[in-house]
Amino acid sequence: MPRTRHTAAFALVTVAALGLTACGSGDPAAAPAAAAGNAAAKGKVPTDDVVSSVREDEAAAKLLPADVRAAGTLTIAASVSNPPGATYLADGRTVAGTDIDFADAVARKLGLRFKREVASFEAILPALGSGKYDVGTGNFGVTEERRRTIDFVTYINDGQGFAVRADSKLKKVTDLIQLCGLTVGTGAGTTFEVTLEENRHRCSDAGREPYDVKTYNDQGATWASLQQGRSDVVMSTINGLWYAVRQQEGVRFLNEFKRLDVGFAFKKGTALAPAFQAAVNGLKADGTYDRILKKWGIGASAIRTSQISPPEIK
């Protein structure tokens, strides 16, 4: 995921029109529609309150380290880029999204107050290790590489997908070798960039021209590169792609490529993970979890139960 809010260059999708639809099945014609009347289905950021009714769960709160319970606060870093994960409302200051709602709901479950700081996507994970932040959000997918240095507590399932211009002849991408000779636009410091770079050699190995990877620090710039013909295809989050193609003319969702669990991120060995896991599962039990997913139109991203650093989905 990219690291900053939409820019003026991305005039096709304004801050006032931000919203989301649910992620798809891999078939562009089978995109799940948001519920009728849902703001997300109408191109608006949904602002209904699904968090303030959450009450503290004493059993979950007792799993926190004693010093954290005594202080009552944690510092959380949030990457704010594009919906549904996190975006800005029309005032340009207020943040909203699934990451925001889940974090705020977990804080209430644990009787904590989060000090939220907006930070760039690629800066958050290293900063957790240094102790600058206690927890991070940014649609962080759980991968084996990240699990070596980061602990996760999962709360949704998202993943990797592709979108193209409407006139593209590219069909469903089931193997990255299908991208040989093309230019792929994606976010800097993301799992998409890693996946693309790790597999680029396969084109040369097959005697074909390697695909070119163009990375951007802003999602608006990524989409502008596609619209203006500087990229042939965009690789990004499944949920984010579904949102974006519904807000723009002349582009279409291509397909899902790989699913990943998404979680709160912590420094390796954190003592916070059990409490966060209990809080997420508590949100599932009291109905808040489903209300958040419904608000943002991403019911297909539900997980059965929260896990601590599960293996990467293969």
Side-chain angles (χ1 to χ4, degrees):
M1 287 183 64
R3 66 184 182 185
T4 58
R5 77 179 99 172
H6 289 246
T7 61
F10 191 27
L12 292 169
V13 182
T14 66
V15 173
L18 296 179
L20 174 76
T21 59
C23 55
S25 64
D27 177 2
N38 191 317
K42 299 178 180 180
K44 299 177 182 178
V45 175
T47 57
D48 39 316
D49 179 5
V50 293
V51 171
S52 64
S53 63
V54 177
R55 298 293 177 258
E56 181 177 350
D57 182 332
E58 187 67 20
K62 285 182 178 179
L63 296 174
L64 289 168
D67 59 335
V68 174
R69 290 203 73 186
T73 61
L74 287 175
T75 300
I76 183 169
S79 170
V80 179
S81 54
N82 62 298
T87 189
Y88 288 94
L89 296 183
D91 62 10
R93 299 184 303 275
T94 306
V95 291
T98 53
D99 289 346
I100 307 304
D101 281 346
F102 275 116
D104 289 348
V106 164
R108 286 179 173 271
K109 274 291 183 190
L110 298 178
L112 297 174
R113 183 174 63 86
F114 282 161
K115 298 178 181 177
R116 181 176 284 116
E117 296 184 17
V118 174
S120 62
F121 176 87
E122 65 269 28
I124 293 177
L125 298 186
L128 293 171
S130 70
K132 182 176 181 179
Y133 306 117
D134 299 305
V135 58
T137 59
N139 205 64
F140 290 114
V142 181
T143 66
E144 293 306 319
E145 180 181 5
R146 286 175 174 168
R147 290 203 316 148
R148 289 195 283 269
T149 57
I150 296 292
D151 281 342
F152 294 93
V153 172
T154 61
Y155 57 94
I156 61 169
N157 177 274
D158 195 351
Q160 304 174 343
F162 296 99
V164 293
R165 290 186 301 279
D167 61 358
S168 174
K169 295 181 180 180
L170 190 64
K171 304 300 181 183
K172 183 177 180 179
V173 176
T174 58
D175 191 321
L176 294 181
I177 201 168
Q178 293 170 249
L179 302 176
C180 295
L182 301 179
T183 299
V184 187
T186 195
T190 61
T191 58
F192 320 117
E193 181 184 9
V194 172
T195 298
L196 290 166
E197 292 294 351
E198 287 181 345
N199 287 275
R200 194 207 299 256
H201 69 89
R202 296 178 58 211
C203 293
S204 299
D205 294 347
R208 301 176 62 181
E209 180 185 355
Y211 50 75
D212 187 21
V213 181
K214 297 292 186 183
T215 60
Y216 301 90
N217 293 325
D218 179 89
Q219 188 74 351
T222 306
W223 284 106
S225 75
L226 181 68
Q227 290 277 18
Q228 296 167 8
R230 289 180 283 110
S231 294
D232 300 300
V233 56
V234 164
M235 188 178 189
S236 189
T237 65
I238 296 166
N239 287 341
L241 289 171
W242 272 123
Y243 157 74
V245 299
R246 293 217 175 179
Q247 306 308 312
Q248 302 178 75
E249 294 183 1
V251 295
R252 59 183 170 88
F253 183 85
L254 194 60
N255 65 282
E256 295 183 9
F257 182 70
K258 179 180 181 180
R259 280 278 175 175
L260 287 173
D261 288 320
V262 171
F264 295 104
F266 307 85
K267 68 179 180 181
K268 194 69 177 176
T270 182
L272 297 172
F276 272 68
Q277 180 190 32
V280 173
N281 285 330
L283 295 174
K284 289 187 69 68
D286 71 15
T288 303
Y289 185 91
D290 289 338
R291 286 191 290 273
I292 293 174
L293 295 188
K294 182 178 180 181
K295 171 183 175 179
W296 293 99
I298 58 167
S301 283
I303 57 173
R304 186 179 302 274
T305 186
S306 177
Q307 300 180 77
I308 297 175
S309 297
E312 179 180 348
I313 296 174
K314 299 296 186 182

